[in-house]
Amino acid sequence: MALGPRLDLRQSQSLVMTPQLQQAIKLLALSNLELETFIGQALEANPLLEAGDVRADDAPLQPLEEFPAEPGADSVAEGDSALDIDLSAIDRDRDTGDGDWGSSLSAGGPGEDGPSIDERSAAGGLSLTDHLHTQIGAVAADAREALIAAALIDLIDDAGYVTASLSETADMLGVPLAEVERALALVQSLDPTGVGARNLAECIALQAKEADRYDPCMARLIDNLDLLARGEIARLRRMCDVDEDDFADMLAELRSYDPKPGLAFDSQGEAAIVPDILLSPAPKGNGWDIQLNEATLPRAVVNRAYYVELRGGCTDKQSRAWLSEQLAEANWLIKALDQRARTILKVAAEIVKQQDGFFRRGVSELRPLTLRTVADAIEMHESTVSRVTSNKYIACPRGTFELKYFFTSGVASADGEGASSEAVKAAIRELIDAEDPRKILSDDTLVTMLKDRGFDLARRTVAKYREAMGIGSSVQRRRAKKLANLRG
């Protein structure tokens, strides 16, 4: 067969991500506070954009009143519909998970006054290291001792413990070990008491000495904390040579000490969580009002007067083309922000509809939910729902929760509908909190009691959920409650 050149005409389809589409994807994943930073950068780059005041009378979005409504009911005109990005090539987040509570935030409803971000600071804004450095100069005997003590402070971790050995520190500084030991004693005399310890026993001993309770009996108790952890109370009481009342007092004193004194100082500062969506009961009591948090929602507008002024001064073709490009970018950004807001409201409304029992009666009514379920209900792609629910919070009468919290895996239940893993965790915690200290519930017993409540679980599943909540085994709980009874 002869070879030769020829021309062929072929058609093919490909997915091309335009800069506008990439920007729209980015906007979906941003929280309101992150969006404020993004818009600030856009204001600097585009002279036609300016920050606008958010007012309820001119906001383009209205609360979704009298919820729930039909999933397909959407009064938005064509071209202004909620933003849906169907990109199978883009990474997706996990559909389900056993997410923890958004935080132990205030259970007050939306709209209540609270501390501002500037008021949220730990330990007066000082880190543990800074707090210790400010005390060195007043107690150090000379500059050499202050320098060694400062080096030791830099080796203290967030909990307040010295992480390196003294011999290594002495070699690093090129000083005798005795001087490092004296500097460590100086650091251990600083506030808070217990800081600079090399282990838990030394930390507790420092606090006992400060309280003038470090007698021989207390010293033996502190030196044998491992026996206390194993619950060998009788042996420990014989070693301390005290009666039951005195031993109970010693345990109460021991529990009053802080095993991690450095944690009172947060070097990272507290992370303020500001809700992006506000949920409140509808006035008639048969639905929900859902709206974006306008207090944190930035708004950009086009300065039309400035555009007219600039257009009058554009005399060449290049200037007019640049001005038209800036106007098109400004208009597109405003439209993208409006579509983002509508998409967030649409997704949040469906989540509230799916988890109505949780918002009315609590975590025991939390249902299993996946991204696909929400995406199918609102006729969007899973990737869109994933981005909308990332890093966004909803404030409701039960508290403030991340939207991802409502997507949980399910377990089998007697009614056949399944139960959320969070509801199972709540049931396990309720049973353990109510257990008799003289009859601690084993995992097998918990399986039986949960089955009576309609949860069909295996023993290993109960153990997994119990450990995820930080609840010890039956042996550990029996030992802890035995110690608590001694204190009482």
Side-chain angles (χ1 to χ4, degrees):
M1 185 176 70
L3 298 177
R6 67 177 184 178
L7 294 177
D8 289 332
L9 183 63
R10 297 181 180 179
Q11 288 184 341
S12 64
Q13 291 182 338
S14 62
L15 182 63
V16 179
M17 292 184 61
T18 64
Q20 289 82 5
L21 184 57
Q22 294 177 8
Q23 189 179 68
I25 294 173
K26 181 178 180 181
L27 290 178
L28 277 179
L30 298 181
S31 66
N32 285 357
L33 295 180
E34 293 170 335
L35 185 64
E36 185 176 1
T37 302
F38 177 84
I39 292 181
Q41 296 173 351
L43 293 177
E44 294 179 0
N46 195 323
L48 299 182
L49 282 174
E50 65 178 10
D53 296 329
V54 177
R55 300 190 302 273
D57 55 352
D58 65 355
L61 299 171
Q62 299 297 328
L64 301 181
E65 299 183 358
E66 295 298 323
F67 184 81
E70 292 297 326
D74 193 352
S75 60
V76 183
E78 179 134 3
D80 290 332
S81 59
L83 183 61
D84 185 12
I85 302 171
D86 188 353
L87 297 175
S88 59
I90 300 176
D91 293 337
R92 302 181 188 176
D93 293 337
R94 294 173 58 183
D95 284 11
T96 60
D98 299 335
D100 294 329
W101 291 78
S103 63
S104 55
L105 298 176
S106 169
E112 296 182 1
D113 293 334
S116 65
I117 296 179
D118 294 336
E119 294 172 346
R120 297 172 62 91
S121 59
L126 277 180
S127 65
L128 174 64
T129 302
D130 293 338
H131 179 68
L132 295 175
H133 277 303
T134 58
Q135 304 176 60
I136 286 295
V139 295
D142 50 41
R144 182 183 178 88
E145 188 177 52
L147 181 62
I148 299 174
L152 288 173
I153 290 175
D154 292 335
L155 299 175
I156 293 178
D157 62 13
D158 292 339
Y161 290 85
V162 174
T163 57
S165 67
L166 297 188
S167 58
E168 292 177 354
T169 305
D171 293 339
M172 178 184 67
L173 298 177
V175 297
L177 178 60
E179 292 190 26
V180 177
E181 292 175 345
R182 287 196 298 269
L184 178 63
L186 176 65
V187 172
Q188 292 177 347
S189 68
L190 303 178
D191 176 73
T193 305
V195 73
R198 288 160 288 184
N199 51 58
L200 177 61
E202 186 175 22
C203 178
I204 298 299
L206 290 172
Q207 297 178 62
K209 292 175 182 178
E210 178 70 18
D212 197 21
R213 289 296 304 270
Y214 194 71
D215 52 38
C217 295
M218 180 63 78
R220 281 192 290 271
L221 176 61
I222 294 175
D223 290 340
N224 294 276
L225 292 177
D226 55 333
L227 297 180
L228 183 63
R230 294 199 297 266
E232 300 183 20
I233 305 301
R235 178 183 174 186
L236 195 54
R237 188 170 62 244
R238 289 194 300 270
M239 293 177 62
C240 295
D241 194 19
V242 294
D243 56 26
E244 291 188 2
D245 292 338
D246 288 341
F247 191 75
D249 291 340
M250 292 171 62
L251 287 180
E253 178 73 21
L254 194 66
R255 289 189 177 92
S256 67
Y257 300 143
D258 187 356
K260 297 180 179 180
L263 294 185
F265 298 82
D266 187 359
S267 58
Q268 300 298 324
E270 295 183 8
I273 296 179
V274 180
D276 304 272
I277 306 161
L278 305 179
L279 177 70
S280 59
K284 296 183 180 180
N286 59 348
W288 300 96
D289 282 347
I290 306 176
Q291 58 184 346
L292 295 179
N293 186 2
E294 294 184 349
T296 61
L297 185 64
R299 183 168 179 260
V301 296
V302 176
N303 191 333
R304 300 291 177 178
Y306 188 51
Y307 168 73
V308 173
E309 181 180 349
L310 288 179
R311 187 176 59 181
C314 292
T315 57
D316 58 282
K317 182 178 179 180
Q318 183 177 0
S319 299
R320 288 193 298 269
W322 173 84
L323 185 60
S324 298
E325 181 182 353
Q326 297 299 312
L327 179 62
E329 290 182 357
N331 286 331
W332 190 93
L333 177 60
I334 293 173
K335 182 178 179 180
L337 292 174
D338 183 58
Q339 289 178 328
R340 169 190 178 272
R342 295 180 188 277
T343 305
I344 292 175
L345 283 177
K346 195 170 185 179
V347 172
E350 183 60 28
I351 291 175
V352 173
K353 180 180 179 179
Q354 296 285 345
Q355 302 290 6
D356 183 73
F358 166 82
F359 293 103
R360 295 185 184 277
R361 293 176 290 276
V363 68
S364 61
E365 298 291 330
L366 196 63
R367 298 173 50 192
L369 186 64
T370 63
L371 294 176
R372 180 176 293 277
T373 302
V374 175
D376 291 344
I378 62 178
E379 298 180 352
M380 289 186 178
H381 197 268
E382 288 179 65
S383 63
T384 304
V385 178
S386 175
R387 282 167 178 78
V388 169
T389 54
S390 296
N391 197 27
K392 295 181 184 64
Y393 294 83
I394 182 171
C396 65
R398 294 193 174 276
T400 302
F401 304 93
E402 188 178 10
L403 290 182
K404 287 289 188 184
Y405 170 76
F406 301 102
F407 296 90
T408 62
S409 58
V411 297
S413 62
D415 56 12
E417 295 184 0
S420 167
S421 58
E422 290 295 334
V424 176
K425 289 180 180 179
I428 294 175
R429 183 177 293 278
E430 180 182 352
L431 291 173
I432 291 178
D433 290 343
E435 67 184 355
D436 188 345
R438 293 168 296 182
K439 191 177 181 182
I440 303 299
L441 302 177
S442 65
D443 289 344
D444 290 325
T445 306
L446 288 174
V447 169
T448 303
M449 298 178 72
L450 288 171
K451 187 170 295 185
D452 295 338
R453 293 192 174 197
F455 302 115
D456 188 9
L457 300 173
R459 180 185 179 279
R460 63 179 179 274
T461 305
V462 173
K464 181 188 74 172
Y465 286 160
R466 174 179 53 73
E467 292 171 357
M469 293 185 292
I471 299 175
S473 65
S474 57
V475 175
Q476 293 171 326
R477 299 200 307 275
R478 184 179 295 108
R479 182 186 305 146
K481 292 186 177 183
K482 184 177 180 181
L483 293 175
N485 290 336
L486 281 177
R487 181 180 63 176

